[in-house]
Amino acid sequence: MAELNESLQERYSRQIRLPAFGKAAQQKLVDARVLIIGMGGLGSPASLYLASAGVGHLVLSDFDRVELSNLQRQIVHREESIGEPKAISARQTLVSVNSSIRVTAIDWQLDDNELEEQIAAADVVLDCSDNFETRFQVNASCFRHKTPLVSGAAIRMEGQLASFDPNRDTSPCYHCLYGDESGFAETCALEGVLSPVVGVIGTLQALEAVKLITGVGETLVGKLLLFDALGGGFREMRLPKDPGCSVCSY
């Protein structure tokens, strides 16, 4: 357990001063381990805010490399990072933002056993991936290991966000939302996406992670948050647990 020393108290003083937060919540962040799967448009802002907020150990998983077209929205990467593995590039940026935290970069595709181990070791998982196969696999593993999951998605001018907590009997899971019918997986490469849209959703993913770690505030467990960038509004929908879900209802 890392000590919340005088230097760290000064660094995080604006959070510590919050009446609902204080030193106890900050200590929980400092002691936390968060796994971020995907260091693209969502993982970039999420990781930057979690690093700045003081999460003690960030584990970054991404086996892609930085491309020029990524820089429009993947703000954790720099022009000089083009061609580098995204996990390595992101680690360099995050360490420069906050040298007091630990950042582990996994720049290869995790096999099933490795993914299970990483999810089991995490306090919270952020799914910032861009395909249904990964999302379903991560969701199932999170419920096996009782690890809270924050799932985000963004495309074109819209985004969505939900949190799932296997430690709550009433919590649904990602499979409750989409079932077995994933359909055609739209991608930003094909459909396009406005840069700040992924910033909004990724930032909210970081906020949800902070709430889940510290217990401060109300999370989106049992809810689905929809963001319409074109209209400039949010809509919240109830997301009930599916009693017939093959992942979380047993």
Side-chain angles (χ1 to χ4, degrees), residues 150-232:
V150 183
S151 177
I155 197 165
R156 295 183 293 268
M157 303 277 284
E158 58 199 47
Q160 68 177 45
L161 177 72
S163 293
F164 310 104
D165 189 352
N167 299 291
R168 303 187 195 181
D169 292 338
T170 58
S171 174
C173 74
Y174 188 81
H175 191 269
C176 292
L177 177 60
Y178 283 103
D180 295 316
E181 301 297 327
S182 60
F184 174 69
E186 297 175 314
T187 65
C188 294
L190 294 174
E191 301 293 327
V193 66
L194 188 65
S195 177
V197 175
V198 291
V200 169
I201 300 301
T203 300
L204 288 174
Q205 283 186 272
L207 177 59
E208 283 293 292
V210 169
K211 288 181 177 181
L212 287 164
I213 291 167
T214 63
V216 173
E218 183 180 346
T219 68
L220 288 170
V221 174
K223 305 171 187 174
L224 177 66
L225 186 67
L226 302 174
F227 174 54
D228 174 14
L230 197 59

Side-chain angles (χ1 to χ4, degrees), residues 81-101:
S81 303
I82 292 175
E84 289 184 5
K86 288 184 179 180
I88 302 298
S89 167
R91 182 187 182 279
Q92 292 171 342
T93 301
L94 297 178
V95 169
S96 71
V97 167
N98 190 347
S99 62
S100 71
I101 67 170

Side-chain angles (χ1 to χ4, degrees), residues 122-134:
D123 294 296
V124 175
V125 174
L126 267 62
D127 185 353
C128 302
S129 65
D130 60 359
N131 65 88
F132 278 110
E133 182 181 358
T134 298

Side-chain angles (χ1 to χ4, degrees), residues 228-249:
D228 174 14
L230 197 59
F234 288 90
R235 185 159 59 102
E236 188 179 286
M237 300 175 61
R238 182 172 170 268
L239 180 59
K241 186 184 186 77
D242 178 2
C245 179
S246 60
V247 175
C248 67
S249 294

Side-chain angles (χ1 to χ4, degrees), residues 28-180:
K28 289 179 180 178
L29 288 183
V30 171
D31 295 336
R33 175 180 176 131
V34 174
L35 170 64
I36 304 176
I37 298 176
M39 291 309 302
L42 299 173
S44 289
S47 64
L48 283 165
Y49 271 107
L50 291 177
S52 298
V55 172
H57 189 182
L58 294 176
V59 181
L60 318 176
S61 175
D62 197 312
F63 56 91
D64 284 340
R65 291 180 178 269
V66 180
E67 300 177 359
L68 180 61
S69 62
N70 299 150
L71 301 182
Q72 166 254 5
R73 65 201 177 282
Q74 299 180 15
I75 58 174
V76 79
H77 308 299
R78 305 291 181 259
E79 287 185 353
E80 56 268 27
S81 303
I82 292 175
E84 289 184 5
K86 288 184 179 180
I88 302 298
S89 167
R91 182 187 182 279
Q92 292 171 342
T93 301
L94 297 178
V95 169
S96 71
V97 167
N98 190 347
S99 62
S100 71
I101 67 170
R102 180 183 176 190
V103 183
T104 300
I106 301 175
D107 62 344
W108 64 90
Q109 186 168 9
L110 293 172
D111 63 27
D112 292 346
N113 291 334
E114 288 177 315
L115 181 62
E116 294 284 335
E117 290 172 0
Q118 289 296 333
I119 288 176
D123 294 296
V124 175
V125 174
L126 267 62
D127 185 353
C128 302
S129 65
D130 60 359
N131 65 88
F132 278 110
E133 182 181 358
T134 298
R135 291 171 185 166
F136 283 133
Q137 185 180 15
V138 169
N139 174 71
S141 181
C142 282
F143 270 76
R144 277 193 293 272
H145 296 289
K146 303 293 184 183
T147 305
L149 168 65
V150 183
S151 177
I155 197 165
R156 295 183 293 268
M157 303 277 284
E158 58 199 47
Q160 68 177 45
L161 177 72
S163 293
F164 310 104
D165 189 352
N167 299 291
R168 303 187 195 181
D169 292 338
T170 58
S171 174
C173 74
Y174 188 81
H175 191 269
C176 292
L177 177 60
Y178 283 103
D180 295 316

